[in-house]
Amino acid sequence: MTIKEFLQVAFGQKEGFETKEELLESEWGKFQEEYSVDQVHYDPVKMLFKSYIVDEDVRKAIDEKHTVDLMSHLFFNGRVTCLQWLQRNCSEIRERLCASNRFC
């Protein structure tokens, strides 16, 4: 939450604070504007994107390029196509997420 956001809510310019899910969806939208994700990979990559932001274990596996460690993670559920996509795009995704230091 930023000071601007707090003041907007305090002075009635905004009804309330965005939920965690709304913030994740907003960041996903920004990511999609920059990077193309095909339909085959859309759902698993979106899940991975959100998990990177909220789950320290997922973030660590990706940051350390231990993508195989994701296979045992609950969210991953054995989605091999997502793992393949991640291995091709891992550094690019990390750069995007860490660009503003909001998630790293």
Side-chain angles (χ1 to χ4, degrees):
M1 171 179 21
T2 64
I3 294 173
K4 179 182 177 180
E5 218 179 353
F6 179 78
L7 291 174
Q8 287 174 328
V9 172
F11 291 107
Q13 294 177 347
K14 203 174 171 184
E15 280 212 19
F17 300 107
E18 291 179 294
T19 66
K20 182 178 181 179
E21 186 59 30
E22 289 170 335
L23 291 169
L24 288 170
E25 286 295 324
S26 173
E27 288 301 317
W28 173 247
K30 292 174 191 174
F31 178 82
Q32 278 188 287
E33 289 174 8
E34 251 183 89
Y35 300 101
S36 163
V37 179
D38 59 41
Q39 279 307 115
V40 172
H41 298 106
Y42 182 87
D43 288 334
V45 170
K46 183 177 181 180
M47 190 181 315
L48 176 66
F49 178 88
K50 289 180 175 185
S51 295
Y52 181 89
I53 292 172
V54 299
D55 189 315
E56 187 177 331
D57 292 335
V58 171
R59 195 167 36 255
K60 182 178 177 184
I62 292 172
D63 290 349
E64 295 176 1
K65 297 184 178 166
H66 296 155
T67 52
V68 176
D69 293 349
L70 296 173
M71 291 296 281
S72 63
H73 198 277
L74 180 61
F75 94 90
F76 195 72
N77 201 18
R79 296 175 190 232
V80 175
T81 59
C82 184
L83 180 62
Q84 292 165 344
W85 189 93
L86 173 63
Q87 287 171 331
R88 286 192 308 271
N89 298 284
C90 187
S91 59
E92 199 172 310
I93 292 170
R94 187 178 184 292
E95 287 173 23
R96 163 66 178 96
L97 291 173
C98 293
S100 66
N101 286 329
R102 289 180 64 188
F103 304 113
C104 296

